[in-house]
Amino acid sequence: MDRFLAAKKFFALMMLVMIVLSVFTLGIVAESEATDTTAVAAEAAADTTVDTSAETDTAAATDDSGSDNMFIGTFWSLIPPVVAIVLALITKEVYSSLFIGILVGGLFAAQFSPLKTVDAIINDGLIAAVSGSAGIFIFLVILGILVALINKTGAAAAFGKWAQTHVKTRIGAILATFALGVLIFIDDYFNCLTVGSVMLPVTDSHKISRAKLAYLIDATAAPVCMIAPISSWAAAVSEYAEGTGYSGLELFIRAIPYNYYSLMTLAFILLITFMRVDYGSMLIHETNALEKGDLFTTGVSDNRSQEELEVNDKGRVFDLIVPIAVLIVVCVFGLVYVGGILDGTDFVSAFSATDATVGLPWGGLITLVITIIYLIARRVITFKDAMECVPKGFIAMVPAILILTFATALKNMTTLLSAKEFIASLMEGAAAGLHNFLPAVIFIVACFLSFSTGTSWGTFGILIPIVVGIFPATSDLLFIGISACLAGAVCGDHCSPISDTTIMSSAGAQCDHINHVQTQLPYAITVAICSFVGYIVGGLCRNGWIGLVAATVATVGSVMVAKFAFQKNT
């Protein structure tokens, strides 16, 4: 059977290669014919006395603009991410799936011209992805090194032993992970990797599957950041407050009670924890973890170098706590420093103006230096041991960096094809006849756009100005509409396998990425449906609080139904 599946995959791969080669060959032939035609036309033009240089320049400019490209600004612009997502879910192999999505996007953007396709993939896709995400890559590597250092000291193993005596139940381990995720509300990237690093020994000791840990991390990353006034997400949303009559922070705070998806996600975690409910693929993973001690079920961790905790008699629990505490404090300062707090800017304004891709590496590097000095001074490790952790930390983060690079390159392809503008035009077209249903429509559109592109920030960056234009500042639906946009952006980001937050949640939990996506999807869709009900009710009643009650009732009811349906397994 295994040989049959391997042969089937090999045959499918060969067919794909043949198709791609055929497309490139056709593109080369087309380019050759176009070149010949252009040459003939040029010779004919040379024999005439009419100066057509201005017309030629205009035609060239029109051609370069891509206005005659049928794939730009149309439904075709959404095909590349859809192809990548579907392939990833079917094949359970994320690298090739993302690359094929990038390839499709490059072919569409270049209109199947082979040379221009390669140019688009390399320059507009991969190089732009690496340069645009360089700060996050640095932060990932620094966190990987910190985790390797903490592991080397034996502090992680010591924390695991401490947790076994103080956190005595699975529910306690889940709630401790949940609480830490809620407390680290500054930035979702920081949240994903820090919570995973700290709580991994605890959840492993209580036989909580890596897929469940990844879900807990992901569900307390973006959703918490989206309802925390002091966070990088709040700062990003504040930039789009122009035209509302409210300050950015005020707009964000007033929209928090109506961000049903974020609030219901947190409530959902507590409900399934206390009621001991699991369903879908997550039930299989949790059952295997409990009964067989198998934390992975299918696939293995990409971070194998850190799976075995090292034992060091000199290591203590505070050797883990001190670096994490320093990291939090210094990263907060790094964020507001980049935002200009030392130039006289107040804290909130500095946070609004910060750049997390600069502030987090800034704080991470200082933390790394302090941690190395601290551990050497305590004689827990030697300088040589510390330097050995540098390549280990980098190697541990290579899978996350690769996936993040490919995912960002795929987003760049959708940007080239104007996918966001296409969705925005559909959104504006729906505004006329669906006024009271608009919050629900906005939520669905934001979900789809964020899921397809893998970016929540880009989603609300596109949709919030449209929402502000649809609803006047005095409308009761303004804040519900803004919240629906933000909630949909988080929901799509939460579900998407190409989302950077989803990717880093997998990395933080050291969980197979596709396992995380498949086990999380049923839970996220459940909460999304409950939130959708809330936005329908809130829009019809023109009262966000009534919508919140409806979403809460729907969430509690769905968990109770799941409890009844899977009662024999809980």
Side-chain angles (χ1 to χ4, degrees):
M1 186 66 179
D2 291 338
R3 291 183 179 179
F4 173 75
L5 291 175
K8 187 177 178 180
K9 289 183 179 180
F10 178 76
F11 177 75
L13 181 61
M14 292 303 297
M15 288 294 293
L16 177 64
V17 171
M18 290 175 64
I19 292 171
V20 172
L21 290 176
S22 299
V23 170
F24 269 71
T25 302
L26 289 173
I28 292 173
V29 171
E31 278 193 348
S32 177
E33 291 177 352
T35 301
D36 293 341
T37 303
T38 303
V40 172
E43 290 177 2
D47 294 335
T48 64
T49 57
V50 180
D51 185 6
T52 60
S53 60
E55 296 179 4
T56 303
D57 291 341
T58 303
T62 303
D63 181 68
D64 290 340
S65 67
S67 60
D68 59 342
N69 190 335
M70 63 173 288
F71 302 107
I72 293 180
T74 64
F75 172 77
W76 291 102
S77 62
L78 300 176
I79 295 300
V82 170
V83 168
I85 291 167
V86 171
L87 283 176
L89 293 176
I90 292 175
T91 65
K92 302 182 185 297
E93 209 294 304
V94 67
Y95 300 112
S96 61
S97 301
L98 286 172
F99 183 76
I100 291 172
I102 296 168
L103 177 61
V104 172
L107 288 169
F108 284 1
Q111 300 184 83
F112 294 93
S113 168
L115 296 179
K116 290 182 180 179
T117 296
V118 175
D119 184 61
I121 291 174
I122 297 298
N123 293 321
D124 299 319
L126 296 173
I127 292 178
V130 173
S131 61
S133 304
I136 296 304
F137 292 163
I138 294 171
F139 187 59
L140 282 170
V141 171
I142 289 173
L143 285 182
I145 297 170
L146 282 173
V147 171
L149 282 169
I150 292 171
N151 187 18
K152 191 72 174 178
T153 64
F159 181 76
K161 292 179 181 178
W162 177 88
Q164 287 177 354
T165 58
H166 292 78
V167 182
K168 299 182 179 180
T169 64
R170 293 185 88 247
I171 291 180
I174 292 173
L175 292 178
T177 305
F178 174 81
L180 185 60
V182 171
L183 288 173
I184 303 179
F185 53 79
I186 298 168
D187 185 78
D188 55 330
Y189 296 165
F190 183 41
N191 183 304
C192 291
L193 297 168
T194 304
V195 174
S197 301
V198 173
M199 296 307 301
L200 193 62
V202 182
T203 55
D204 281 0
S205 66
H206 288 283
K207 296 183 179 180
I208 296 171
S209 67
R210 294 293 178 88
K212 188 63 169 286
L213 175 60
Y215 171 69
L216 292 172
I217 294 171
D218 210 350
T220 55
V224 171
C225 291
M226 189 53 86
I227 58 176
I230 302 177
S231 70
S232 56
W233 288 55
V237 174
S238 299
E239 297 178 5
Y240 305 103
E242 186 176 355
T244 62
Y246 301 95
S247 68
L249 188 61
E250 183 182 4
L251 178 70
F252 183 85
I253 292 175
R254 294 187 65 167
I256 289 175
Y258 315 132
N259 194 324
Y260 302 150
Y261 183 80
S262 296
L263 295 172
M264 292 306 105
T265 295
L266 301 180
F268 183 81
I269 293 174
L270 295 175
L271 286 169
I272 63 173
T273 300
F274 285 112
M275 296 178 70
R276 301 186 181 185
V277 178
D278 281 304
Y279 55 91
S281 301
M282 188 71 79
L283 178 61
I284 299 173
H285 280 253
E286 284 291 88
T287 301
N288 286 342
L290 267 173
E291 297 180 357
K292 303 177 183 179
D294 181 4
L295 301 178
F296 298 98
T297 298
T298 59
V300 293
S301 167
D302 285 328
N303 301 48
R304 299 181 186 180
S305 64
Q306 295 180 21
E307 285 182 12
E308 297 297 329
L309 296 180
E310 295 190 26
V311 178
N312 185 339
D313 294 336
K314 297 180 180 179
R316 298 292 182 267
V317 173
F318 58 82
D319 290 327
L320 181 146
I321 296 174
V322 170
I324 298 298
V326 172
L327 183 65
I328 294 173
V329 173
V330 178
C331 280
V332 171
F333 178 75
L335 289 170
V336 294
Y337 168 76
V338 172
I341 195 169
L342 296 185
D343 297 328
T345 307
D346 63 271
F347 184 85
V348 174
S349 299
F351 220 98
S352 299
T354 194
D355 182 353
T357 62
V358 178
L360 291 179
W362 193 97
L365 182 61
I366 293 176
T367 301
L368 180 60
V369 173
I370 292 174
T371 300
I372 291 174
I373 294 173
Y374 163 77
L375 294 176
I376 293 175
R378 269 208 2 98
R379 297 184 179 180
V380 179
I381 59 174
T382 64
F383 181 77
K384 182 180 179 181
D385 291 334
M387 293 303 101
E388 288 176 352
C389 291
V390 174
K392 285 184 180 179
F394 180 85
I395 292 170
M397 288 300 173
V398 166
I401 291 173
L402 281 175
I403 296 175
L404 192 56
T405 300
F406 282 167
T408 305
L410 182 58
K411 295 175 192 177
N412 294 341
M413 292 296 103
T414 61
T415 300
L416 281 179
L417 296 172
S418 301
K420 295 175 183 177
E421 287 74 8
F422 169 66
I423 295 295
S425 65
L426 293 179
M427 184 68 222
E428 290 176 332
L434 300 170
H435 190 74
N436 286 342
F437 289 98
L438 272 180
V441 173
I442 292 168
F443 176 73
I444 293 298
V445 171
C447 283
F448 182 73
L449 180 57
S450 182
F451 180 83
S452 300
T453 60
T455 169
S456 49
W457 286 30
T459 297
F460 59 66
I462 288 290
L463 294 183
I464 287 180
I466 297 173
V467 174
V468 170
I470 293 173
F471 299 115
T474 56
S475 173
D476 296 330
L477 294 179
L478 173 62
F479 295 110
I480 303 177
I482 293 289
S483 296
C485 174
L486 300 180
V490 173
C491 177
D493 181 87
H494 203 187
C495 297
S496 178
I498 63 174
S499 161
D500 45 8
T501 309
T502 307
I503 293 165
M504 282 189 285
S505 296
S506 301
Q510 298 182 21
C511 171
D512 180 81
H513 183 58
I514 300 302
N515 280 350
H516 170 43
V517 174
Q518 288 185 325
T519 53
Q520 175 171 264
L521 204 56
Y523 290 3
I525 291 175
T526 299
V527 178
I529 293 172
C530 297
S531 302
F532 180 72
V533 170
Y535 286 117
I536 290 179
V537 174
L540 289 174
C541 298
R542 304 179 72 86
N543 188 313
W545 292 104
I546 296 178
L548 178 61
V549 172
T552 304
V553 171
T555 303
V556 174
S558 65
V559 175
M560 292 182 69
V561 169
K563 174 70 174 178
F564 175 78
F566 298 98
Q567 186 173 8
K568 62 180 181 179
N569 295 313
T570 57

